[in-house]
Amino acid sequence: MGLSKLNGLYREVILDHANHPHNKGKLPTATNAMTLHNPTCGDTINLQVDVADGKIRDIAYTGEGCTISQASASMMTEAVKGKTVDQALSMAKTFSDMAIGKQHSDADLQQLGDAQILTSIMEFPARIKCATLSWWALQRALLKQGNEEED
């Protein structure tokens, strides 16, 4: 597959998640929550997680923002649902590392599911915070108990 066809496929997957978001909505059984804002571009992610026995039973988000931030949130929720908290935190670290150019194994990247295609977004530094916002919200929600809001 040529590079232009690959980029077109990536663009289609990102647009599909942005236009048909997975796990968007409120989660009435949330045990952990975090709201993060990106003051640079105005993106907001309100993340809610239902954790039981060290495992993510359910996850949902609301928010608004650019295509990348909303698609990344959709991809992230799909990737971590059903994972242990430790697995989800490891995946969030992998994603955040990618944003700053650190390399990870193919196995680590495959665990990210569709979100691994956002590695191409890292070529555009202004969009990195958009892509990482939901993953940072996940880290903070899992490491803290209760509902919090940060900028």
Side-chain angles (χ1 to χ4, degrees), residues 18 21 24-25 34-47 61-74 127 129-131 133-134:
K24 191 161 187 174
M34 177 60 63
T35 296
L36 288 182
H37 306 281
N38 179 355
T40 307
C41 65
D43 295 337
T44 297
I45 295 292
N46 305 300
L47 185 69
Y61 74 99
T62 59
E64 54 190 44
C66 69
T67 299
I68 296 300
S69 73
Q70 300 304 299
S72 183
S74 174
R127 306 310 301 268
K129 203 165 184 179
C130 303
L133 190 65
S134 60

Side-chain angles (χ1 to χ4, degrees), residues 25-34 46-52 54-61 76-77 80-85 88 134 137-147:
K26 294 189 176 183
L27 192 63
T29 59
T31 57
N32 303 53
M34 177 60 63
N46 305 300
L47 185 69
Q48 297 178 318
V49 186
D50 179 7
V51 177
K55 202 170 190 176
I56 297 175
R57 271 195 315 208
D58 207 355
I59 186 168
Y61 74 99
M76 182 273 295
T77 61
V80 302
K81 190 184 281 188
K83 301 285 194 250
T84 67
V85 168
S134 60
L138 175 67
Q139 286 178 313
R140 290 183 177 127
L142 293 176
L143 293 173
K144 297 177 180 178
Q145 294 295 317
N147 299 323

Side-chain angles (χ1 to χ4, degrees), residues 58-133:
D58 207 355
I59 186 168
Y61 74 99
T62 59
E64 54 190 44
C66 69
T67 299
I68 296 300
S69 73
Q70 300 304 299
S72 183
S74 174
M75 293 174 186
M76 182 273 295
T77 61
E78 281 294 304
V80 302
K81 190 184 281 188
K83 301 285 194 250
T84 67
V85 168
D86 288 343
Q87 288 172 321
L89 288 171
S90 176
M91 293 165 68
K93 179 166 178 15
T94 298
F95 193 86
S96 294
D97 283 352
M98 283 180 359
I100 58 173
K102 288 186 180 178
Q103 299 294 315
H104 277 270
S105 70
D106 287 344
D108 286 347
L109 295 177
Q110 287 178 355
Q111 286 189 341
L112 299 175
D114 286 348
Q116 66 184 301
I117 67 169
L118 290 173
T119 57
S120 61
I121 222 60
M122 305 315 172
E123 297 171 18
F124 306 98
R127 306 310 301 268
I128 292 173
K129 203 165 184 179
C130 303
T132 56
L133 190 65

